[in-house]
Amino acid sequence: MRAKNSEVKQGAAPTADRTFTEAARRAQIVNAAIEVIAEVGYAKASFSRIARQAGLSSTGMISYHFAGKDDLMREVVAEVLRVADAYMRPRIEAHTTAPERLRAHIESNLALLDVYPKHLHAMVEVLTGVRGESPSAGEFRAATDTLLDTLITAVRTAQEAGEFGEFDPATMVYALRGSIDALVMRAAHDPDFDAAAHGRRLADLFDRATRSTP
């Protein structure tokens, strides 16, 4: 019985190694894609550019791990969302009031530009560059709508609790996301962009716009 168990363990190791190696390679390609998209834009982010950025000898390694550019872009968006959530969530949840959480949401979102300077830019490029007929376009729209709906619900709940004033929650959230996206695009072309300062100013602006007044 011991010999049989030993054979199972010995046979499992290469599979585990392959799985780990493949996951690491996929992550390497996704990170290279983020760098390239942020640098040259979605339209010019070819497999050849991404392969060079990743240090791969050919584009075949990308095609082995991803069904096509659309598949790779889906993973790029997923990775940026994962990174953003891991960075922003604890900073937002450290606060208890709606105004404090709104400020933390805005400031941590802009702070991502300093911590992960290419991620947000790459995501905006992908979301604006993917064409309507692309299989992932609908998925991206649905994911974006879900995020917006979550924010709208949170704002409406805060209004009902008296933490925010009277305004249309959807309009306010659309204005907020549009402002953040515009600053992200500005940061990509402005070497002197001060993400922390813009985060504070934008937070001040929306704090005044949403404030509950007696």
Side-chain angles (χ1 to χ4, degrees), residues 42 70 73 125-138 140-141:
Y42 169 81
D70 201 58
M73 294 304 105
E125 281 285 338
V126 172
L127 294 180
T128 56
V130 172
R131 297 183 180 276
E133 65 270 15
S134 169
S136 63
F140 293 159
R141 284 194 296 272

Side-chain angles (χ1 to χ4, degrees), residues 34-142:
I34 290 171
E35 292 282 336
V36 171
I37 295 166
E39 180 181 349
V40 303
Y42 169 81
K44 295 181 180 179
S46 63
F47 272 17
S48 59
R49 286 179 182 268
I50 295 169
R52 285 198 300 273
Q53 180 68 32
L56 304 177
S57 58
S58 73
T59 60
M61 287 296 290
I62 301 177
S63 299
Y64 174 79
H65 290 284
F66 298 95
K69 186 174 182 179
D70 201 58
D71 187 29
L72 177 55
M73 294 304 105
R74 188 180 293 109
E75 290 300 313
V76 165
V77 171
E79 173 63 9
V80 175
L81 289 176
R82 184 195 67 77
V83 166
D85 183 71
Y87 183 84
M88 293 174 60
R89 183 183 294 274
R91 288 162 174 78
I92 296 170
E93 293 182 348
H95 301 282
T96 57
T97 71
E100 289 172 339
R101 284 176 174 246
L102 176 62
R103 175 172 292 276
H105 175 91
I106 296 170
E107 291 186 346
S108 64
N109 207 154
L110 270 295
L112 274 170
L113 290 170
D114 287 333
V115 184
Y116 300 98
K118 304 296 179 64
H119 281 60
L120 291 183
H121 184 200
M123 183 168 175
V124 172
E125 281 285 338
V126 172
L127 294 180
T128 56
V130 172
R131 297 183 180 276
E133 65 270 15
S134 169
S136 63
E139 295 178 23
F140 293 159
R141 284 194 296 272

Side-chain angles (χ1 to χ4, degrees), residues 130-161:
V130 172
R131 297 183 180 276
E133 65 270 15
S134 169
S136 63
E139 295 178 23
F140 293 159
R141 284 194 296 272
T144 300
D145 288 345
T146 298
L147 290 173
L148 291 173
D149 288 344
T150 299
L151 288 173
I152 291 169
T153 299
V155 169
R156 183 176 292 114
T157 299
Q159 283 181 314
E160 293 170 353

